[in-house]
Amino acid sequence: MSAADEIRETYEARDAATRFDDWRASRYHPRNPMGRLFVEHNAVLIDLLNEQDISLHDLSVLDVGCGAGNWLRHLVELGARPANLVGVDLSTERLEFARQANPGISWLEAGDGPLPFPDASFGLVMQTLVFSSIPDEQLRRRLAQEMLRVAGRYLMWLDLLPAESHLATFSGEQAHSYFPGTELVYRRRVQPGYFRHWYSHPWLCKTVARFTDWRCESALMLFEKQR
């Protein structure tokens, strides 16, 4: 069994145990109290786009490991055109959910081989919490090389910071090492861990998150290819 097949099985088992479209059962669903906090906190994407003055209207975007497509749908709400967006994932079920939710976006199933796109096909290539789910370092390196190959300008990374975890974690320097020839132009700590414990008190979570990045579990980074 390949590493990609193992990852696919892990996600299929997770989805079978707690369906990602069941807002009561899934704490990461945007209607769940905890999921709503994470969605609100992910407004940091707007800060990134605004601070870097990135226009979405004509930007082509590839989301690697897009899952059910939440991030690309969010980009549509922020001004991106669905025809310019592509999501790839291992999970047929998650892709079907994404396709039904927004058929205007292209959703493709992809394994651990090369990404099926020419060089520099996308203005922005992004991944959110994908590398931490890949246990094999060689597979992570191959995926990073493919992301770098198909990126025309930007690569966006959101993944776990070093901590006690059964998943892979990454320092900023480690993340940057996956994309040689790029410059780190934006970095921010995101996704506070206390959301998991205090989500029944959203006012407290929002207040703390507004004034500090204390106990943030992940980092949102933007890399720009050097010309």
Side-chain angles (χ1 to χ4, degrees):
M1 180 182 296
S2 70
D5 290 334
E6 292 180 4
I7 296 169
R8 183 184 291 109
E9 285 194 356
T10 297
Y11 277 99
E12 288 177 349
R14 183 184 303 176
D15 291 343
T18 305
R19 291 192 55 83
F20 53 86
D21 56 353
D22 183 347
W23 71 269
R24 292 182 177 86
S26 175
R27 293 195 301 168
Y28 297 99
H29 193 284
R31 289 180 59 187
N32 185 282
M34 190 179 87
R36 181 175 176 180
L37 283 169
F38 274 115
V39 169
E40 293 176 355
H41 186 68
N42 283 343
V44 295
L45 175 59
I46 298 175
D47 294 337
L48 182 156
L49 294 171
N50 290 353
E51 290 184 25
Q52 297 299 313
D53 195 23
I54 297 174
S55 173
L56 291 174
H57 185 262
D58 294 317
L59 187 69
S60 55
V61 181
L62 172 66
D63 187 0
V64 176
C66 63
N70 294 338
W71 281 91
L72 289 182
R73 287 197 296 275
H74 186 35
L75 287 179
V76 172
E77 294 173 355
L78 298 179
R81 292 190 293 177
N84 291 339
L85 309 181
V86 179
V88 297
D89 200 88
L90 293 169
S91 170
T92 303
E93 184 177 6
R94 293 187 178 200
L95 286 171
E96 183 58 30
F97 181 89
R99 192 172 291 114
Q100 291 179 11
N102 199 323
I105 297 173
S106 296
W107 308 101
L108 305 176
E109 186 170 349
D112 56 0
L115 293 170
F117 310 107
D119 296 356
S121 299
F122 299 92
L124 170 66
V125 177
M126 58 189 292
Q127 76 87 15
T128 59
L129 299 171
V130 172
F131 277 56
S132 54
S133 300
I134 301 175
D136 183 76
E137 174 64 11
Q138 290 186 342
L139 180 55
R140 289 197 293 263
R141 292 284 174 185
R142 289 202 304 271
L143 178 57
Q145 289 174 359
E146 282 297 290
M147 290 174 62
L148 185 61
R149 180 183 65 80
V150 301
R153 183 171 182 183
Y154 294 113
L155 296 115
M156 194 192 90
W157 168 287
L158 193 161
D159 224 315
L160 298 178
L161 290 165
E164 292 184 8
S165 173
H166 66 285
L167 299 172
T169 61
F170 310 90
S171 66
E173 293 72 21
Q174 288 172 314
H176 197 179
S177 72
Y178 285 118
F179 307 116
T182 67
E183 178 184 358
L184 175 63
V185 296
Y186 184 93
R187 180 177 180 179
R188 182 168 172 181
R189 294 168 64 91
V190 297
Q191 298 183 338
Y194 48 79
F195 281 9
R196 304 177 188 277
H197 307 291
W198 300 348
Y199 66 89
S200 58
H201 305 287
W203 63 270
L204 179 59
C205 290
K206 292 178 184 179
T207 300
V208 175
R210 182 179 304 169
F211 295 106
T212 180
D213 61 5
W214 173 65
R215 287 196 63 188
C216 282
E217 299 178 329
S218 305
L220 175 64
M221 290 179 277
L222 186 71
F223 303 99
E224 184 172 9
K225 295 181 79 169
Q226 297 177 1
R227 299 182 178 182

